[in-house]
């Protein structure tokens, strides 16, 4: 089984939070039936909608990173 969370984190590292990430992940799903099945199962387990679950996950990571930096800046002052 593919680790969807790790795949999405790697894509975020590679493409940042851009439309390229969306395109790459959609291409991967289209080209790999097992990945698509694993993604659908991951969405179900995580409570995400299959259509945009990956995007919700990415946004949560980005918001979490922003929150960490905000807390760091507050602590630094």
């Amino acid at each position: 089984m593919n680790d969807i969370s790790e795949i999405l984190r790697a894509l975020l590292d590679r493409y940042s939070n851009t439309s390229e990430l969306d395109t790459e992940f959609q291409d991967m799903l289209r080209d790999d039936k097992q990945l698509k099945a694993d993604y659908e199962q991951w969405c179900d387990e995580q409570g995400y909608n299959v259509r945009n679950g990956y995007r919700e996950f990415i946004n949560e990571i980005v918001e979490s990173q922003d929150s960490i930096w905000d807390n760091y800046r507050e602590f630094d002052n």
Side-chain angles (χ1 to χ4, degrees), residues 5-62:
S5 298
E6 285 303 313
I7 291 170
L8 292 172
R9 284 185 185 98
L11 289 172
L12 182 59
D13 288 344
R14 183 171 183 187
Y15 294 105
S16 192
N17 192 14
T18 64
S19 63
E20 290 176 318
L21 183 151
D22 298 322
T23 301
E24 180 65 20
F25 189 62
Q26 293 298 327
D27 289 348
M28 291 169 68
L29 291 177
R30 186 186 64 243
D31 295 342
D32 186 335
K33 291 182 191 238
Q34 183 60 53
L35 178 63
K36 184 175 181 182
D38 291 345
Y39 171 67
E40 290 170 355
Q41 181 180 352
W42 177 84
C43 285
D44 185 54
E45 291 171 355
Q46 301 298 317
Y48 292 123
N49 180 301
V50 172
R51 181 178 173 145
N52 60 2
Y54 77 94
R55 175 48 50 201
E56 289 179 44
F57 181 76
I58 293 296
N59 289 341
E60 288 172 6
I61 292 173
V62 170

